Amino acid sequence: METKEEIKLKAQCNKCLGETNHILLHKEDQPWDEEIDHGYTIHGSETFNMVKCCGCDSVKLMHASWFSEICDEYGRPIIDINYYPPAISRAEPKWLSELGGLVPNEQMQYVRGLLKEIYSALHNDSRRLAAMGIRALIEHLMIIEVSDNGTFKKNLEAFQQAGYLSGKQREIVEPILEAGHAAIHRGFHPSAEDVLTVVEITESLVETIYVHSKKAEKLKKRVPQRGNT
């Protein structure tokens, strides 16, 4: 009995976090055409590939489609590729699952939930939603720690004065807040690189305030006290 030769192709892997070799498990092609006016026909195709990563064995559906009227500068159809589950552009930090245990209260559950929604927006390339979510998250963190002082600027001032931000960190955080405001009110559409930069800084802020501080407290309790000698 002849064995079917494996077909391999490149695809995004959420577990390996990058483009890897995948084995093609099954393929369905669905070409189509439509006459729209006086013999003028448009056409395209949809291809559904069920693939398995050669590195981690995770399985996903890869959907590729093209349309005769959407082409590059050389007249070649542009192929649009989507994955189900959606391709992840950035993995959730490992400490996210620990956050509820380190700071077990309702406010921190809200922070954790909002972070997960931000990652969900990222994975679906909803960059404006991610920027808005990050602004909302930082505002919520400030209100948790220093209460609501009436305006965003006053909250930021109080947050810095309470020691949660250095002067240099504030210079970094302010553009993040401005990006979220611009996405909400001024039609700003951040690039993928813009959003990933904002996410990295926000992760660092949350990790420093809650994860590192709580772990440092636990470490301090375990370290033997110095003697009087």
mmCIF file of all heavy atoms in Angstrom, residues 111-129:
data_model
loop_
_atom_site.group_PDB
_atom_site.id
_atom_site.type_symbol
_atom_site.label_atom_id
_atom_site.label_comp_id
_atom_site.label_asym_id
_atom_site.label_seq_id
_atom_site.Cartn_x
_atom_site.Cartn_y
_atom_site.Cartn_z
ATOM 1 N N VAL A 111 -8.167 43.910 36.866
ATOM 2 C CA VAL A 111 -6.937 44.227 36.128
ATOM 3 C C VAL A 111 -6.525 43.036 35.270
ATOM 4 O O VAL A 111 -6.199 43.184 34.085
ATOM 5 C CB VAL A 111 -5.803 44.604 37.108
ATOM 6 C CG1 VAL A 111 -4.451 44.662 36.391
ATOM 7 C CG2 VAL A 111 -6.104 45.942 37.768
ATOM 8 N N ARG A 112 -6.559 41.853 35.856
ATOM 9 C CA ARG A 112 -6.182 40.639 35.126
ATOM 10 C C ARG A 112 -7.122 40.409 33.938
ATOM 11 O O ARG A 112 -6.686 40.084 32.831
ATOM 12 C CB ARG A 112 -6.211 39.438 36.071
ATOM 13 C CG ARG A 112 -5.749 38.132 35.450
ATOM 14 C CD ARG A 112 -5.629 37.044 36.519
ATOM 15 N NE ARG A 112 -5.245 35.783 35.923
ATOM 16 C CZ ARG A 112 -6.094 34.892 35.442
ATOM 17 N NH1 ARG A 112 -7.398 35.125 35.497
ATOM 18 N NH2 ARG A 112 -5.665 33.766 34.907
ATOM 19 N N GLY A 113 -8.427 40.602 34.172
ATOM 20 C CA GLY A 113 -9.395 40.420 33.099
ATOM 21 C C GLY A 113 -9.200 41.422 31.972
ATOM 22 O O GLY A 113 -9.293 41.074 30.790
ATOM 23 N N LEU A 114 -8.899 42.678 32.338
ATOM 24 C CA LEU A 114 -8.687 43.705 31.322
ATOM 25 C C LEU A 114 -7.425 43.421 30.518
ATOM 26 O O LEU A 114 -7.397 43.605 29.291
ATOM 27 C CB LEU A 114 -8.598 45.086 31.988
ATOM 28 C CG LEU A 114 -8.535 46.314 31.065
ATOM 29 C CD1 LEU A 114 -9.611 46.267 29.993
ATOM 30 C CD2 LEU A 114 -8.661 47.593 31.880
ATOM 31 N N LEU A 115 -6.386 42.944 31.185
ATOM 32 C CA LEU A 115 -5.166 42.567 30.465
ATOM 33 C C LEU A 115 -5.448 41.466 29.449
ATOM 34 O O LEU A 115 -4.970 41.516 28.312
ATOM 35 C CB LEU A 115 -4.095 42.099 31.456
ATOM 36 C CG LEU A 115 -3.182 43.175 32.037
ATOM 37 C CD1 LEU A 115 -2.384 42.617 33.207
ATOM 38 C CD2 LEU A 115 -2.239 43.727 30.978
ATOM 39 N N LYS A 116 -6.241 40.481 29.843
ATOM 40 C CA LYS A 116 -6.559 39.383 28.930
ATOM 41 C C LYS A 116 -7.363 39.890 27.730
ATOM 42 O O LYS A 116 -7.185 39.417 26.603
ATOM 43 C CB LYS A 116 -7.309 38.277 29.678
ATOM 44 C CG LYS A 116 -6.448 37.542 30.698
ATOM 45 C CD LYS A 116 -7.159 36.372 31.333
ATOM 46 C CE LYS A 116 -7.154 35.160 30.422
ATOM 47 N NZ LYS A 116 -5.815 34.576 30.239
ATOM 48 N N GLU A 117 -8.234 40.869 27.960
ATOM 49 C CA GLU A 117 -8.987 41.451 26.848
ATOM 50 C C GLU A 117 -8.066 42.232 25.910
ATOM 51 O O GLU A 117 -8.271 42.247 24.693
ATOM 52 C CB GLU A 117 -10.098 42.352 27.391
ATOM 53 C CG GLU A 117 -11.234 41.575 28.037
ATOM 54 C CD GLU A 117 -12.329 42.478 28.579
ATOM 55 O OE1 GLU A 117 -12.435 43.629 28.109
ATOM 56 O OE2 GLU A 117 -13.077 42.032 29.474
ATOM 57 N N ILE A 118 -7.048 42.876 26.476
ATOM 58 C CA ILE A 118 -6.071 43.596 25.650
ATOM 59 C C ILE A 118 -5.321 42.613 24.754
ATOM 60 O O ILE A 118 -5.124 42.860 23.559
ATOM 61 C CB ILE A 118 -5.094 44.389 26.541
ATOM 62 C CG1 ILE A 118 -5.822 45.571 27.193
ATOM 63 C CG2 ILE A 118 -3.894 44.886 25.736
ATOM 64 C CD1 ILE A 118 -5.055 46.229 28.325
ATOM 65 N N TYR A 119 -4.914 41.470 25.318
ATOM 66 C CA TYR A 119 -4.222 40.458 24.507
ATOM 67 C C TYR A 119 -5.151 39.898 23.435
ATOM 68 O O TYR A 119 -4.726 39.634 22.306
ATOM 69 C CB TYR A 119 -3.683 39.334 25.391
ATOM 70 C CG TYR A 119 -2.553 39.779 26.282
ATOM 71 C CD1 TYR A 119 -2.672 39.741 27.661
ATOM 72 C CD2 TYR A 119 -1.368 40.273 25.741
ATOM 73 C CE1 TYR A 119 -1.643 40.177 28.483
ATOM 74 C CE2 TYR A 119 -0.338 40.711 26.554
ATOM 75 C CZ TYR A 119 -0.484 40.663 27.922
ATOM 76 O OH TYR A 119 0.530 41.106 28.725
ATOM 77 N N SER A 120 -6.414 39.726 23.771
ATOM 78 C CA SER A 120 -7.379 39.239 22.790
ATOM 79 C C SER A 120 -7.500 40.226 21.627
ATOM 80 O O SER A 120 -7.559 39.826 20.457
ATOM 81 C CB SER A 120 -8.741 39.037 23.462
ATOM 82 O OG SER A 120 -9.695 38.584 22.531
ATOM 83 N N ALA A 121 -7.518 41.525 21.943
ATOM 84 C CA ALA A 121 -7.567 42.549 20.892
ATOM 85 C C ALA A 121 -6.311 42.483 20.021
ATOM 86 O O ALA A 121 -6.383 42.591 18.792
ATOM 87 C CB ALA A 121 -7.715 43.938 21.516
ATOM 88 N N LEU A 122 -5.160 42.280 20.658
ATOM 89 C CA LEU A 122 -3.904 42.163 19.910
ATOM 90 C C LEU A 122 -3.945 40.980 18.955
ATOM 91 O O LEU A 122 -3.549 41.089 17.797
ATOM 92 C CB LEU A 122 -2.735 41.970 20.877
ATOM 93 C CG LEU A 122 -2.070 43.198 21.481
ATOM 94 C CD1 LEU A 122 -0.954 42.757 22.408
ATOM 95 C CD2 LEU A 122 -1.517 44.105 20.404
ATOM 96 N N HIS A 123 -4.424 39.848 19.451
ATOM 97 C CA HIS A 123 -4.433 38.633 18.641
ATOM 98 C C HIS A 123 -5.348 38.766 17.424
ATOM 99 O O HIS A 123 -5.148 38.088 16.417
ATOM 100 C CB HIS A 123 -4.878 37.437 19.490
ATOM 101 C CG HIS A 123 -3.982 37.201 20.661
ATOM 102 N ND1 HIS A 123 -4.356 36.440 21.741
ATOM 103 C CD2 HIS A 123 -2.732 37.642 20.934
ATOM 104 C CE1 HIS A 123 -3.370 36.426 22.626
ATOM 105 N NE2 HIS A 123 -2.382 37.145 22.155
ATOM 106 N N ASN A 124 -6.343 39.637 17.534
ATOM 107 C CA ASN A 124 -7.265 39.855 16.417
ATOM 108 C C ASN A 124 -6.916 41.106 15.619
ATOM 109 O O ASN A 124 -7.714 41.568 14.807
ATOM 110 C CB ASN A 124 -8.700 39.943 16.940
ATOM 111 C CG ASN A 124 -9.229 38.595 17.387
ATOM 112 O OD1 ASN A 124 -9.588 37.756 16.569
ATOM 113 N ND2 ASN A 124 -9.249 38.363 18.696
ATOM 114 N N ASP A 125 -5.716 41.648 15.876
ATOM 115 C CA ASP A 125 -5.208 42.836 15.182
ATOM 116 C C ASP A 125 -6.124 44.045 15.373
ATOM 117 O O ASP A 125 -6.211 44.915 14.511
ATOM 118 C CB ASP A 125 -5.008 42.556 13.687
ATOM 119 C CG ASP A 125 -4.054 43.568 13.043
ATOM 120 O OD1 ASP A 125 -3.134 44.037 13.744
ATOM 121 O OD2 ASP A 125 -4.236 43.892 11.856
ATOM 122 N N SER A 126 -6.807 44.098 16.519
ATOM 123 C CA SER A 126 -7.655 45.255 16.851
ATOM 124 C C SER A 126 -6.806 46.234 17.658
ATOM 125 O O SER A 126 -6.933 46.353 18.880
ATOM 126 C CB SER A 126 -8.885 44.801 17.643
ATOM 127 O OG SER A 126 -9.644 43.876 16.902
ATOM 128 N N ARG A 127 -5.931 46.940 16.939
ATOM 129 C CA ARG A 127 -4.912 47.750 17.610
ATOM 130 C C ARG A 127 -5.491 48.954 18.340
ATOM 131 O O ARG A 127 -5.021 49.333 19.409
ATOM 132 C CB ARG A 127 -3.863 48.196 16.586
ATOM 133 C CG ARG A 127 -2.928 47.066 16.174
ATOM 134 C CD ARG A 127 -2.076 47.443 14.988
ATOM 135 N NE ARG A 127 -2.722 47.070 13.737
ATOM 136 C CZ ARG A 127 -2.494 47.667 12.575
ATOM 137 N NH1 ARG A 127 -1.672 48.680 12.496
ATOM 138 N NH2 ARG A 127 -3.105 47.260 11.487
ATOM 139 N N ARG A 128 -6.514 49.567 17.765
ATOM 140 C CA ARG A 128 -7.126 50.712 18.453
ATOM 141 C C ARG A 128 -7.788 50.269 19.755
ATOM 142 O O ARG A 128 -7.688 50.960 20.773
ATOM 143 C CB ARG A 128 -8.137 51.394 17.528
ATOM 144 C CG ARG A 128 -7.485 52.322 16.520
ATOM 145 C CD ARG A 128 -8.445 52.802 15.473
ATOM 146 N NE ARG A 128 -8.749 51.746 14.514
ATOM 147 C CZ ARG A 128 -9.103 51.960 13.245
ATOM 148 N NH1 ARG A 128 -9.208 53.189 12.797
ATOM 149 N NH2 ARG A 128 -9.352 50.967 12.436
ATOM 150 N N LEU A 129 -8.453 49.115 19.717
ATOM 151 C CA LEU A 129 -9.074 48.605 20.941
ATOM 152 C C LEU A 129 -8.011 48.306 21.996
ATOM 153 O O LEU A 129 -8.217 48.568 23.187
ATOM 154 C CB LEU A 129 -9.877 47.338 20.636
ATOM 155 C CG LEU A 129 -11.197 47.521 19.888
ATOM 156 C CD1 LEU A 129 -11.838 46.165 19.631
ATOM 157 C CD2 LEU A 129 -12.147 48.413 20.667
#
